Amino acid sequence: MLKIGIMGSTGYAGEELIRILLRHPEVKISVLSAKIERPQNIQGLFPWLSGRLDLPCEDLSPEKIEKNCDLVFLALPHKVSMEVAPIFLEANKKVIDLSADYRLRDPAVYEKSYNTKHKTSKYIKEAVYGLPEVYREKIKKARLIANPGCYPTGIILGCLPPLEKGLLESFIICDSKSGVSGAGRCPAPGLMLGELENSFKAYKVNVHQHASEIEQELNNFSKSPVNLVFVPHLVPMKRGILSTIYLRTKSKVSTEEALEIYRKFYKRESFIRILNKDILPDTKFVAHTNYCDIGIRAFPDIKILIVITAIDNLMKGASGQAVQNMNIMCGFEETLGLL
Amino acid sequence: MLKIGIMGSTGYAGEELIRILLRHPEVKISVLSAKIERPQNIQGLFPWLSGRLDLPCEDLSPEKIEKNCDLVFLALPHKVSMEVAPIFLEANKKVIDLSADYRLRDPAVYEKSYNTKHKTSKYIKEAVYGLPEVYREKIKKARLIANPGCYPTGIILGCLPPLEKGLLESFIICDSKSGVSGAGRCPAPGLMLGELENSFKAYKVNVHQHASEIEQELNNFSKSPVNLVFVPHLVPMKRGILSTIYLRTKSKVSTEEALEIYRKFYKRESFIRILNKDILPDTKFVAHTNYCDIGIRAFPDIKILIVITAIDNLMKGASGQAVQNMNIMCGFEETLGLL
Amino acid sequence: MLKIGIMGSTGYAGEELIRILLRHPEVKISVLSAKIERPQNIQGLFPWLSGRLDLPCEDLSPEKIEKNCDLVFLALPHKVSMEVAPIFLEANKKVIDLSADYRLRDPAVYEKSYNTKHKTSKYIKEAVYGLPEVYREKIKKARLIANPGCYPTGIILGCLPPLEKGLLESFIICDSKSGVSGAGRCPAPGLMLGELENSFKAYKVNVHQHASEIEQELNNFSKSPVNLVFVPHLVPMKRGILSTIYLRTKSKVSTEEALEIYRKFYKRESFIRILNKDILPDTKFVAHTNYCDIGIRAFPDIKILIVITAIDNLMKGASGQAVQNMNIMCGFEETLGLL
Amino acid sequence: MLKIGIMGSTGYAGEELIRILLRHPEVKISVLSAKIERPQNIQGLFPWLSGRLDLPCEDLSPEKIEKNCDLVFLALPHKVSMEVAPIFLEANKKVIDLSADYRLRDPAVYEKSYNTKHKTSKYIKEAVYGLPEVYREKIKKARLIANPGCYPTGIILGCLPPLEKGLLESFIICDSKSGVSGAGRCPAPGLMLGELENSFKAYKVNVHQHASEIEQELNNFSKSPVNLVFVPHLVPMKRGILSTIYLRTKSKVSTEEALEIYRKFYKRESFIRILNKDILPDTKFVAHTNYCDIGIRAFPDIKILIVITAIDNLMKGASGQAVQNMNIMCGFEETLGLL
């Protein structure tokens, strides 16, 4: 049994990791840490765990955690992960970092996106961007996984097939909508139920920090630089991200042709579902699952391809994908604990 | 035009006061105060006010507020009101206090319920409990109104008619359910939308601080002391309180007889609606209104009378009732601004 | 007092009309009709009206309704309005039609969009498209108003200022999100609360019937034909539409310049609010109001202008705008009953 | 592998059965039936099943279903089950009936509660009431399980321990609150999201059909007849039932004593969690699980015991309990597929 540590156990991603790992036959959660004032049994923090997991949770140093686990998930805020990840790596532990700290290849881009200097940039080089559909082979050999952001996951998976084939014009417009859990569990006025009645809004219009991550990955696959426009919105529900992606194609492409391209690209993937023409993605179809559903509508007359992707932001957009990465790194079946 | 000041403008009760007073033809909001870090136009805090109210909001001393108003609403936390109310009274201004500070006649009961000594208890005597259906004549002459709590309003109005007639046994069980705005706007983990999915729960089971207020008022009308059991619950919605009240009658009472008693008791009231037998109260019927809807089902065989009351906790349960009190105190038509 | 009839009183638009007209000082609701099995007091259908409106509602012929009103609102399904509107017109009554039946100038476009031949197309010519910000002068003299659709209202108002100035490239991408009341009150599986948990989805991707209405109006103001891409989505909340509109400008336009253009264009309008740079539209800011809020973010480097508009689909998107049109037609102050 | 048939596959209980059984290692869903117009793959009805279950669903006769399964779940409306259950029994198949048809021992009570004569009352005698915590031994040998109602499950489990010990006075007041999925998936005006904003209400006040089921089971354990008062309410959320139960004790009982009684009574139960004094049940703690959480607060001075129970109405209140019963009947581990 692989021994697992979780730093940041009390956030949404941490809680979801616990939920998934409890059903995973090859691992055992051995140590839980979180920034809490006094040690507490995890059942006191998450009463739904009563009778299912009996483990203390406390504010532990990375050194203490490291001794009790083979692999650690860092479900920490940006800027905190980069301070602790190296400690685990140097102790020869596998690290899956759910923050943004090792996602961007270029420290200067990181600094611009997150307003802070990267303190352990020498580790960026060995970090692997944990999108299995793209980097599976590298993930197998990785020690440090930079688990993708929630918005980037759904958007990159939605754009790659036609982009990689060189079918697209440079402008890519992504209109994304996320449930509130994407903003984390930390109390904030705008996330209270009383403030969200009949409330739907855009935020960080084309200035969201995930844009650079999306651009980096799309440009990896595109001959000419991509022009990304990215507008995220907040939906008054707990989980799910739906991204409506507006692509212009260089030549006329029909829905059937587009579907064929996507099906081929993802034909060996367990967690990508290309939906038939008679149905459209809905975040509820992927809620609590690790699937990314993709729906496609082409309008060849105006050379427009509309791609809609849906994920559960806490699963394929965070903890589910993290476990998928763990499975790949550790030689487990990729879907273990995730179906 | 009566000049109105509001202390605590940024909470739910304060916001609701602004909403109501903007439609009131006899008053003008002249000064807004709140515990905020820097002065800000109220439109910046409540963008829905754009084009409707152009007024600064800042953290003002009672002395400054007093100079600019004839009447002040204190939409302040418990324990804060009692420190500022006297300042207004001594400046000869009318005060409507939405906190609990002057509701309890006995300072010892206040101390027990709110864990603090009452600092200005000499003003309790002149405070009038602002339930117009009961104390209208006193309200007319009052300078200081103790505006009733949200739970007490619905429960007292639901119990009084048969209680006053001496029809009830002493046990009164009140099972109340409130939307989240009852807990105020201050960010708290348990009130976030992400925490309230499929969440319904009881809290402060029979130890809620409103119990002493309910008991005080019911005992005023009852020959023998009332035995109150009061359990509040949290509903995952913004506004509304529904109270299901289980009463035992000394003799058999039919639904028709009970309806007759209630209709008679409230026959001159503008804001009490006794519902017909074919319909039951629903918080949505009273949302954004100052009504208290009352539904009644009697089971004479077992001498049980079930009374269900619904109010909007921010209206009849707070700001609507406060304005109703203002209307009475100032000689305006009682329903002004409230229909 | 102007006597008002409402056909389709029991749908969301009908209910909202009642709500607004009850506060309107110059009119009196005199007759209510709806497709219901047996006559019923409107209070039985809408218990929130108890004590506020005492009027029967029944399935009346247009002839009967016409005799009891000066002006009629048709809150009817598409295809039904065109059968009854002429009866009112011929009896010399004013008609405000909330359906799509008289919005499209070209009967062939109507036929294509709504899959039915227009039966009374000779009245199309005299119908005025009821968007006061554009057609106020014509509305003053109109007998028949084609009240705009909910999506078109927010989108047209968001596009007009730069379009009319010739600043835009032909492609206009509108990503709209609507609360469920836009789909009407008729029970449908997909609109049940139990089906909408964590549910967000697109529907009628670029094939929604409102597209032709939007194109018609935008093309009226554009020198070159507009290429509209329109994708509506369903938000799990009751009311509100937010449209995120992606415009490409021919030359570089800054946010300040764009704001200036919008402010100038709408400077005399009571119901258009151009938001400052530090705030973005939120459907909750316009809920229960007749406002259309507009937020703007320009990205001159890539010549992209993102315009975000928010309306309450039942107010500015339906009944509020209908009353605004009534006010204009009847010489009342335009904001009467709407503030 | 046990072959499973499900009648009523498209309702909430049927869908939940599919969800659970897909994770169950000892069974295989072999036939799905539902009242639908034309045969359809179950993935078309529940897109979340894409890639997980590939099976047709059609309107099959019991005879056809029976040939393809060893055990059948009847997730059918009341009155339908009693017509088909005998067909399976006579073909020697095990039957778990989620309807009310075989729950009431006395056909006259059934007739009164459900307004219909029982057509196959001779099978009532061999039906076992499927509450494992009470009837486990009988369930082991049963061919026909009458799976308990959702409200009765939570209420009976909450009352039994002190009732069986003879500690209670006869009056038992149950104030229950249910999410909307309890009303089924069939479209109804009152269950639409647009109708449930700020909506909380009671319904069937003390006349709900589940009352007779609760009374039957409580009276089995009580020396003197129980006087039940039962008021159900509708919560604007999808799943979960919380019941607040007001019990009067004959003598003074403290919270500690009560907790001890409950812990002892349920000490071998896997799905009953008696919560500590510092926490109260919340429907979200049991959502998507088969647990029944029980919280207790005693007020010895007034001899009141308040018991609060929470279940997921689709799990312990329906399909989860049905699978628990299957496990017991078939000799599987009782928690299989349910943790």
Side-chain angles (χ1 to χ4, degrees):
Chain A
M1 295 287 267
L2 193 76
K3 284 188 296 169
I4 304 292
I6 301 175
M7 284 193 81
S9 309
T10 54
Y12 282 125
E15 183 182 15
E16 199 76 9
L17 280 169
I18 295 174
R19 200 186 305 269
I20 302 168
L21 294 173
L22 279 180
R23 322 187 272 255
H24 196 293
E26 303 285 349
V27 309
K28 185 178 148 54
I29 302 174
S30 57
V31 54
L32 296 174
S33 162
K35 265 243 136 5
I36 50 178
E37 282 178 37
R38 48 185 186 78
Q40 215 180 333
N41 191 296
I42 192 71
Q43 294 180 12
L45 295 158
F46 298 132
W48 63 269
L49 279 171
S50 303
R52 300 165 92 174
L53 181 63
D54 186 3
L55 213 60
C57 178
E58 45 190 318
D59 191 356
L60 295 168
S61 69
E63 288 77 8
K64 280 230 171 117
I65 298 166
E66 170 265 299
K67 284 192 174 48
N68 289 296
C69 70
D70 305 313
L71 181 151
V72 71
F73 290 97
L74 305 180
L76 297 170
H78 309 316
K79 303 175 195 176
V80 180
S81 273
M82 64 178 160
E83 312 221 9
V84 304
I87 300 169
F88 290 96
L89 291 172
E90 270 143 43
N92 244 326
K93 308 292 172 167
K94 290 189 165 75
V95 177
I96 298 176
D97 177 18
L98 283 79
S99 88
D101 283 355
Y102 295 99
R103 293 180 199 154
L104 298 170
R105 315 307 304 162
D106 181 348
V109 174
Y110 180 84
E111 190 172 340
K112 205 179 141 219
S113 300
Y114 293 92
N115 292 313
T116 200
K117 244 198 148 50
H118 203 295
K119 290 174 190 160
T120 56
S121 59
K122 71 167 177 162
Y123 293 92
I124 294 178
K125 231 174 306 175
E126 72 161 307
V128 174
Y129 190 71
L131 196 61
E133 291 75 10
V134 179
Y135 298 108
R136 187 172 286 111
E137 292 311 309
K138 287 187 180 170
I139 294 166
K140 283 181 186 169
K141 292 169 268 174
R143 290 199 313 157
L144 170 58
I145 294 292
N147 210 57
C150 53
Y151 286 122
T153 294
I155 290 172
I156 296 166
L157 291 173
C159 291
L160 278 197
L163 187 72
E164 187 255 5
K165 278 188 103 71
L167 299 176
L168 302 182
E169 298 281 359
S170 70
F171 258 102
I172 293 184
I173 294 177
C174 297
D175 190 290
S176 293
K177 301 88 176 175
S178 174
V180 295
S181 61
R185 179 173 262 138
C186 199
L191 302 175
M192 308 247 300
L193 186 138
E195 295 300 296
L196 288 167
E197 186 180 70
N198 287 321
S199 173
F200 185 91
K201 62 163 179 267
Y203 66 100
K204 296 188 185 175
V205 172
N206 210 26
V207 296
H208 193 282
Q209 67 276 13
H210 278 175
S212 46
E213 183 181 338
I214 300 168
E215 280 169 336
Q216 166 183 292
E217 294 303 315
L218 295 187
N219 280 326
N220 269 352
F221 282 82
S222 176
K223 270 160 218 139
S224 49
V226 153
N227 255 322
L228 177 72
V229 176
F230 170 48
V231 181
H233 300 74
L234 192 67
V235 190
M237 63 183 190
K238 180 167 183 183
R239 15 171 115 213
I241 289 180
L242 192 109
S243 291
T244 310
I245 307 169
Y246 300 88
L247 302 169
R248 294 200 62 186
T249 53
K250 291 178 181 160
S251 57
K252 294 186 179 192
V253 176
S254 71
T255 300
E256 288 73 16
E257 289 164 340
L259 279 170
E260 180 58 24
I261 290 165
Y262 278 78
R263 290 216 178 92
K264 211 165 157 186
F265 192 92
Y266 290 123
K267 69 168 178 278
R268 287 162 320 200
E269 295 302 332
S270 303
F271 293 117
I272 309 288
R273 298 189 295 199
I274 310 300
L275 302 189
N276 288 337
K277 277 177 65 176
D278 54 353
I279 192 152
L280 283 163
D282 185 326
T283 49
K284 80 169 171 177
F285 298 154
V286 297
H288 302 282
T289 81
N290 199 47
Y291 290 105
C292 173
D293 280 359
I294 302 180
I296 292 158
R297 293 292 183 277
F299 299 88
D301 289 354
I302 51 172
K303 295 188 196 153
I304 288 278
L305 187 61
I306 301 175
V307 178
I308 301 173
T309 68
I311 59 169
D312 182 326
N313 57 307
L314 297 179
M315 289 291 296
K316 185 65 178 168
S319 306
Q321 185 145 268
V323 172
Q324 189 182 355
N325 281 317
M326 177 193 79
N327 286 340
I328 298 171
M329 288 168 95
C330 300
F332 304 143
E333 197 174 336
E334 192 169 327
T335 59
L336 222 53
L338 293 169
L339 285 184
Chain B
M1 296 287 266
L2 194 76
K3 284 188 296 169
I4 304 292
I6 301 176
M7 284 193 81
S9 309
T10 55
Y12 282 125
E15 183 182 15
E16 199 75 9
L17 280 169
I18 295 173
R19 199 186 306 270
I20 302 168
L21 295 172
L22 280 180
R23 322 187 271 255
H24 195 293
E26 302 285 349
V27 310
K28 184 178 148 55
I29 302 174
S30 57
V31 54
L32 296 174
S33 162
K35 265 241 137 7
I36 50 177
E37 281 178 37
R38 45 183 191 77
Q40 216 181 331
N41 192 297
I42 191 71
Q43 293 181 12
L45 295 158
F46 298 131
W48 64 268
L49 279 171
S50 304
R52 301 164 92 174
L53 180 64
D54 186 4
L55 212 59
C57 178
E58 47 190 315
D59 192 356
L60 295 169
S61 70
E63 288 77 9
K64 280 229 168 119
I65 299 166
E66 170 266 298
K67 286 195 171 48
N68 289 296
C69 69
D70 305 313
L71 180 151
V72 70
F73 289 96
L74 305 180
L76 297 170
H78 308 317
K79 303 173 195 176
V80 180
S81 274
M82 63 179 159
E83 311 221 10
V84 304
I87 300 169
F88 291 96
L89 291 172
E90 269 145 45
N92 245 326
K93 308 292 171 167
K94 290 189 167 74
V95 177
I96 298 176
D97 177 19
L98 282 79
S99 87
D101 283 356
Y102 295 99
R103 293 180 199 154
L104 298 169
R105 315 307 304 161
D106 181 347
V109 174
Y110 179 85
E111 189 172 343
K112 207 180 140 217
S113 300
Y114 293 92
N115 292 312
T116 200
K117 247 199 143 53
H118 203 294
K119 290 174 192 160
T120 56
S121 59
K122 70 168 177 162
Y123 293 93
I124 294 178
K125 232 173 309 175
E126 74 161 305
V128 175
Y129 191 70
L131 196 60
E133 291 76 8
V134 179
Y135 297 108
R136 186 171 288 112
E137 291 312 309
K138 287 187 178 170
I139 295 167
K140 283 182 185 168
K141 292 169 267 173
R143 290 199 312 157
L144 170 58
I145 295 291
N147 210 58
C150 52
Y151 287 122
T153 295
I155 291 171
I156 297 166
L157 291 172
C159 291
L160 278 198
L163 188 71
E164 187 255 3
K165 279 188 103 69
L167 300 175
L168 302 183
E169 299 281 359
S170 69
F171 259 100
I172 293 185
I173 293 177
C174 297
D175 190 290
S176 293
K177 300 89 176 175
S178 173
V180 295
S181 61
R185 177 174 263 139
C186 199
L191 302 175
M192 309 247 299
L193 186 137
E195 295 300 295
L196 288 167
E197 185 179 69
N198 287 320
S199 174
F200 184 91
K201 63 164 179 267
Y203 66 101
K204 296 190 185 173
V205 172
N206 210 25
V207 295
H208 193 282
Q209 67 276 12
H210 279 175
S212 46
E213 182 182 339
I214 299 168
E215 281 170 336
Q216 165 184 292
E217 294 304 314
L218 295 188
N219 280 326
N220 269 351
F221 282 81
S222 177
K223 270 161 217 138
S224 50
V226 153
N227 255 321
L228 177 72
V229 176
F230 170 48
V231 181
H233 300 74
L234 192 69
V235 190
M237 63 183 192
K238 180 166 183 183
R239 18 170 114 213
I241 289 180
L242 191 108
S243 291
T244 310
I245 307 170
Y246 300 87
L247 303 169
R248 294 199 64 186
T249 53
K250 290 177 181 161
S251 56
K252 295 187 179 191
V253 176
S254 70
T255 300
E256 286 73 15
E257 289 164 340
L259 280 169
E260 181 57 24
I261 290 166
Y262 278 78
R263 289 215 179 93
K264 211 166 156 184
F265 193 92
Y266 290 124
K267 70 168 180 278
R268 287 161 322 201
E269 295 302 331
S270 303
F271 293 117
I272 309 287
R273 300 189 294 199
I274 310 300
L275 303 189
N276 288 337
K277 276 177 68 176
D278 54 353
I279 192 153
L280 283 163
D282 184 327
T283 49
K284 80 169 171 177
F285 298 154
V286 296
H288 302 281
T289 81
N290 200 47
Y291 289 106
C292 174
D293 279 359
I294 302 180
I296 292 158
R297 292 293 183 278
F299 300 88
D301 289 353
I302 52 172
K303 296 188 196 152
I304 288 279
L305 188 61
I306 300 176
V307 178
I308 301 173
T309 68
I311 59 169
D312 182 326
N313 57 306
L314 298 178
M315 290 290 296
K316 185 66 178 168
S319 307
Q321 186 145 268
V323 171
Q324 188 181 356
N325 281 317
M326 177 193 79
N327 286 340
I328 297 171
M329 287 167 94
C330 300
F332 304 143
E333 197 173 337
E334 191 169 327
T335 59
L336 222 53
L338 293 169
L339 285 183
Chain C
M1 296 286 266
L2 194 76
K3 284 186 298 170
I4 303 292
I6 300 175
M7 283 192 83
S9 309
T10 55
Y12 282 125
E15 184 182 14
E16 199 76 8
L17 280 168
I18 294 173
R19 198 185 307 267
I20 302 168
L21 295 172
L22 280 180
R23 322 188 271 254
H24 196 293
E26 302 285 350
V27 309
K28 185 181 147 54
I29 301 174
S30 57
V31 53
L32 296 172
S33 161
K35 264 247 130 8
I36 49 177
E37 279 178 38
R38 47 186 188 77
Q40 217 180 329
N41 192 296
I42 192 71
Q43 293 180 12
L45 295 158
F46 298 131
W48 63 268
L49 280 171
S50 302
R52 301 165 92 174
L53 180 64
D54 186 4
L55 212 59
C57 177
E58 47 191 315
D59 191 356
L60 295 168
S61 69
E63 288 77 7
K64 280 230 170 117
I65 298 166
E66 169 266 297
K67 286 196 170 49
N68 288 297
C69 70
D70 304 314
L71 180 151
V72 72
F73 289 97
L74 305 180
L76 297 170
H78 309 318
K79 302 175 196 177
V80 179
S81 273
M82 66 179 159
E83 311 221 9
V84 304
I87 298 169
F88 290 97
L89 292 172
E90 269 144 43
N92 246 325
K93 308 292 171 167
K94 290 189 166 75
V95 178
I96 297 177
D97 177 19
L98 282 80
S99 88
D101 284 356
Y102 296 99
R103 294 179 198 153
L104 298 168
R105 315 307 304 161
D106 181 347
V109 174
Y110 180 85
E111 189 171 342
K112 206 178 141 219
S113 300
Y114 292 92
N115 291 313
T116 200
K117 247 198 145 50
H118 203 295
K119 288 174 190 160
T120 57
S121 58
K122 69 167 179 162
Y123 293 93
I124 293 178
K125 233 173 307 178
E126 74 161 304
V128 174
Y129 191 71
L131 196 61
E133 291 76 9
V134 179
Y135 298 107
R136 186 172 286 112
E137 292 311 309
K138 286 187 179 170
I139 294 167
K140 284 181 184 168
K141 291 168 267 173
R143 290 199 312 156
L144 170 59
I145 295 290
N147 209 60
C150 52
Y151 287 122
T153 294
I155 291 172
I156 296 166
L157 291 172
C159 292
L160 278 196
L163 187 72
E164 189 255 4
K165 279 188 103 69
L167 300 175
L168 303 183
E169 299 280 358
S170 69
F171 258 100
I172 292 183
I173 294 177
C174 297
D175 190 290
S176 294
K177 302 86 175 174
S178 173
V180 296
S181 62
R185 178 173 261 139
C186 200
L191 302 175
M192 308 249 298
L193 185 137
E195 295 300 295
L196 289 166
E197 185 180 69
N198 287 319
S199 174
F200 184 91
K201 62 163 180 270
Y203 66 101
K204 295 189 185 174
V205 173
N206 209 25
V207 296
H208 192 282
Q209 66 277 8
H210 279 174
S212 45
E213 183 181 338
I214 299 167
E215 282 170 333
Q216 166 184 292
E217 294 303 315
L218 295 188
N219 280 325
N220 269 350
F221 281 81
S222 175
K223 271 161 214 138
S224 50
V226 153
N227 255 323
L228 177 72
V229 176
F230 170 49
V231 181
H233 301 73
L234 192 69
V235 190
M237 63 183 190
K238 181 166 183 183
R239 14 171 117 212
I241 289 180
L242 190 109
S243 291
T244 310
I245 307 171
Y246 300 88
L247 302 170
R248 294 199 63 186
T249 53
K250 289 178 182 160
S251 56
K252 294 186 179 191
V253 176
S254 71
T255 300
E256 288 71 16
E257 289 165 338
L259 280 170
E260 180 58 24
I261 290 166
Y262 278 78
R263 289 216 179 94
K264 208 165 160 186
F265 193 92
Y266 289 124
K267 70 168 179 279
R268 285 161 324 198
E269 295 301 332
S270 305
F271 293 117
I272 309 286
R273 299 190 294 200
I274 310 299
L275 302 189
N276 287 338
K277 275 178 69 178
D278 55 352
I279 191 152
L280 283 164
D282 184 326
T283 49
K284 80 170 171 178
F285 298 154
V286 296
H288 301 281
T289 81
N290 199 46
Y291 289 106
C292 175
D293 280 0
I294 302 180
I296 292 158
R297 291 293 182 278
F299 299 88
D301 290 351
I302 51 171
K303 295 187 197 154
I304 287 279
L305 188 61
I306 301 177
V307 178
I308 301 174
T309 68
I311 58 169
D312 181 327
N313 57 306
L314 297 179
M315 290 292 294
K316 185 66 178 169
S319 306
Q321 184 145 270
V323 171
Q324 189 182 356
N325 281 316
M326 177 193 79
N327 286 341
I328 298 171
M329 288 168 94
C330 299
F332 304 143
E333 197 173 336
E334 192 169 326
T335 58
L336 223 52
L338 293 169
L339 285 183
Chain D
M1 296 286 266
L2 194 77
K3 285 187 298 170
I4 303 292
I6 301 175
M7 284 193 81
S9 309
T10 55
Y12 282 124
E15 183 182 15
E16 199 76 9
L17 280 169
I18 294 173
R19 198 185 307 267
I20 303 168
L21 295 172
L22 280 180
R23 327 187 267 255
H24 196 294
E26 303 285 350
V27 309
K28 186 180 147 56
I29 302 173
S30 57
V31 53
L32 295 173
S33 162
K35 265 249 132 2
I36 49 177
E37 279 178 38
R38 48 186 187 74
Q40 217 181 329
N41 191 296
I42 192 70
Q43 293 181 11
L45 295 158
F46 298 132
W48 63 268
L49 280 171
S50 303
R52 301 165 91 175
L53 180 64
D54 186 5
L55 212 60
C57 177
E58 47 190 316
D59 192 357
L60 295 169
S61 70
E63 288 78 8
K64 280 228 171 118
I65 298 166
E66 169 265 298
K67 285 194 173 49
N68 288 296
C69 69
D70 304 314
L71 180 152
V72 71
F73 290 97
L74 304 180
L76 297 170
H78 308 317
K79 302 175 197 177
V80 180
S81 274
M82 65 179 158
E83 311 220 10
V84 305
I87 298 169
F88 290 95
L89 292 172
E90 270 144 41
N92 245 324
K93 309 292 173 169
K94 290 188 167 75
V95 177
I96 297 176
D97 177 19
L98 282 82
S99 88
D101 284 356
Y102 295 100
R103 292 180 199 154
L104 299 169
R105 315 308 303 161
D106 181 348
V109 174
Y110 180 86
E111 189 172 340
K112 207 180 140 217
S113 300
Y114 292 91
N115 291 312
T116 198
K117 245 198 146 50
H118 203 296
K119 288 174 188 159
T120 57
S121 59
K122 70 165 177 163
Y123 293 93
I124 294 179
K125 233 173 308 178
E126 73 161 304
V128 175
Y129 190 72
L131 196 61
E133 291 76 10
V134 180
Y135 298 107
R136 186 172 286 113
E137 292 311 310
K138 286 188 179 169
I139 294 167
K140 283 181 185 168
K141 292 169 268 173
R143 290 199 313 157
L144 169 59
I145 295 291
N147 209 59
C150 52
Y151 287 121
T153 294
I155 291 172
I156 296 166
L157 291 172
C159 291
L160 279 196
L163 187 71
E164 188 254 5
K165 279 187 103 70
L167 300 175
L168 303 182
E169 299 281 358
S170 69
F171 258 100
I172 293 183
I173 293 178
C174 297
D175 190 290
S176 294
K177 302 87 175 175
S178 174
V180 295
S181 61
R185 178 173 263 137
C186 199
L191 302 175
M192 308 248 300
L193 185 138
E195 295 300 295
L196 288 167
E197 186 180 68
N198 287 320
S199 174
F200 184 90
K201 63 163 179 268
Y203 66 101
K204 294 188 186 174
V205 173
N206 210 25
V207 296
H208 192 282
Q209 66 276 9
H210 279 174
S212 45
E213 183 182 338
I214 299 167
E215 282 170 334
Q216 165 183 293
E217 295 302 315
L218 295 188
N219 279 325
N220 268 350
F221 282 80
S222 176
K223 271 161 214 139
S224 50
V226 152
N227 254 324
L228 177 73
V229 175
F230 169 49
V231 181
H233 300 74
L234 193 68
V235 189
M237 64 183 190
K238 181 166 183 183
R239 14 172 115 213
I241 289 179
L242 191 107
S243 291
T244 311
I245 307 170
Y246 300 88
L247 302 169
R248 295 199 61 186
T249 53
K250 290 177 182 161
S251 56
K252 294 186 179 191
V253 176
S254 70
T255 300
E256 288 72 16
E257 289 164 339
L259 279 169
E260 181 58 24
I261 291 166
Y262 278 78
R263 289 215 179 95
K264 209 164 159 187
F265 193 91
Y266 290 123
K267 70 167 178 277
R268 286 162 323 199
E269 295 301 332
S270 305
F271 293 118
I272 309 287
R273 299 189 294 200
I274 310 300
L275 303 189
N276 288 337
K277 275 178 68 178
D278 54 352
I279 191 153
L280 284 164
D282 184 325
T283 49
K284 80 170 171 177
F285 299 153
V286 297
H288 300 283
T289 81
N290 199 48
Y291 289 106
C292 173
D293 279 0
I294 302 180
I296 292 159
R297 291 293 182 278
F299 299 89
D301 288 353
I302 51 171
K303 294 187 197 155
I304 287 279
L305 188 62
I306 301 177
V307 178
I308 302 175
T309 68
I311 59 169
D312 181 328
N313 58 306
L314 297 178
M315 290 292 294
K316 186 65 179 170
S319 306
Q321 184 144 270
V323 171
Q324 189 182 357
N325 281 316
M326 177 193 79
N327 286 341
I328 298 171
M329 288 168 95
C330 299
F332 304 144
E333 198 173 335
E334 193 170 326
T335 58
L336 223 53
L338 292 169
L339 284 184

